[in-house]
Amino acid sequence: ENGINEIPSYSFEYMRNVESVNLPNTLLRLQPNAFNNCESLTELNLNDGIEYLGCDAFNGADIRKLVLPDSLVGMSAGCFAGNKNLSE
């Protein structure tokens, strides 16, 4: 399937107006700090098929609810650090 399969490190870092993210079904890897300090990010939909989340990928966001797909085989330290309102 054609499409993006990786989001590089620091791609969306400090984009403070990002409120939601829907990752494409082709995405396999989210590199470190990809969405670091996106402090308005409250909604995240991880695609079924993603395999790896890099360290601090969503550090400093404000994600409220999270469902980890069965396809996820690796997640580095601090991936969701600083998400104070993460309850599910």
Side-chain angles (χ1 to χ4, degrees):
E1 188 173 339
N2 292 332
I4 188 169
N5 60 21
E6 178 178 291
I7 295 179
S9 296
Y10 304 101
S11 292
F12 300 98
E13 183 178 40
Y14 290 106
M15 290 198 170
R16 292 191 167 95
N17 294 326
V18 173
E19 295 178 359
S20 67
V21 171
N22 291 303
L23 300 174
N25 289 333
T26 57
L27 189 70
L28 300 175
R29 299 178 64 83
L30 196 61
Q31 296 298 341
N33 298 291
F35 291 90
N36 187 33
N37 287 309
C38 291
E39 54 195 32
S40 296
L41 179 58
T42 59
E43 184 179 332
L44 171 65
N45 295 308
L46 293 173
N47 62 304
D48 189 32
I50 194 160
E51 297 174 353
Y52 172 77
L53 300 175
C55 76
D56 297 329
F58 296 98
N59 179 35
D62 193 23
I63 298 167
R64 311 291 170 94
K65 181 180 176 183
L66 179 65
V67 176
L68 298 175
D70 291 336
S71 60
L72 190 64
V73 294
M75 183 169 61
S76 295
C79 193
F80 296 99
N83 285 262
K84 299 174 191 134
N85 293 312
L86 185 58
S87 61
E88 292 184 48

